[in-house]
Amino acid sequence: MKSHEGLVRLKLFQVKEKRRQLGQLDLMMGEFERMAAELDAQILSEEKKAGINDTSHFAYPTFAKAARQRRDNLFVSIRDLKAQKDDAEAALAESEAELAKAEALEQRDGKPRDEEMPVTDRRAMIG
């Protein structure tokens, strides 16, 4: 049936879109983790230059303070992205289940329905 083909295509598109979104979230999380690691290295370097590791010390480098704040913000963003990813994975699982139902419906409706036809009608068709 044509209507089921359109439904299957729609569900397939939704599944592909959700997978793409998951991939983007993974890429963003990876990029943020890389940026946080770079900031860690810069913080250590700055602390080593200044010889001060105590963030409450009056002479603690302002660049290191700013880098720490950026790094902490990245960690918050990563945590938020993980929550979004969990939601996206749940939505993907739901979309995949809907796709499977639509495919099963299309497959069921695509088969001839001889078993549902009354015996007298089959005889009339045979001739």
Side-chain angles (χ1 to χ4, degrees):
M1 211 179 222
K2 288 278 185 194
S3 64
H4 295 303
E5 282 180 31
L7 180 65
V8 169
R9 281 197 314 249
L10 172 66
K11 296 301 178 184
L12 186 60
F13 173 78
Q14 290 173 345
V15 166
K16 287 180 181 180
E17 180 65 18
K18 297 210 183 318
R19 286 182 182 154
R20 185 191 62 75
Q21 289 173 353
L22 273 174
Q24 283 185 327
L25 288 171
D26 283 335
L27 285 173
M28 287 173 57
M29 286 173 23
E31 182 66 18
F32 287 177
E33 288 169 355
R34 184 192 60 76
M35 290 167 58
E38 286 177 4
L39 286 171
D40 274 335
Q42 290 176 357
I43 292 167
L44 288 174
S45 172
E46 200 65 27
E47 287 175 347
K48 190 174 180 180
K49 279 187 220 174
I52 301 170
N53 295 337
D54 183 15
T55 57
S56 61
H57 191 278
F58 73 95
Y60 189 78
T62 53
F63 175 78
K65 281 184 185 178
R68 279 184 183 277
Q69 183 62 46
R70 285 194 304 269
R71 184 199 59 194
D72 293 345
N73 289 343
L74 285 171
F75 286 143
V76 169
S77 295
I78 290 169
R79 188 181 67 233
D80 292 345
L81 286 173
K82 284 181 182 178
Q84 286 180 21
K85 182 181 175 188
D86 291 341
D87 292 344
E89 286 173 340
L92 174 62
E94 185 179 323
S95 291
E96 287 174 338
E98 290 175 5
L99 174 63
K101 286 178 189 176
E103 287 174 339
L105 188 62
E106 180 186 38
Q107 187 177 24
R108 183 195 74 191
D109 289 349
K111 294 180 181 177
R113 296 183 176 214
D114 286 339
E115 65 273 1
E116 292 180 10
M117 220 180 271
V119 175
T120 55
D121 288 346
R122 276 193 248 151
R123 286 189 198 143
M125 286 174 58
I126 295 172

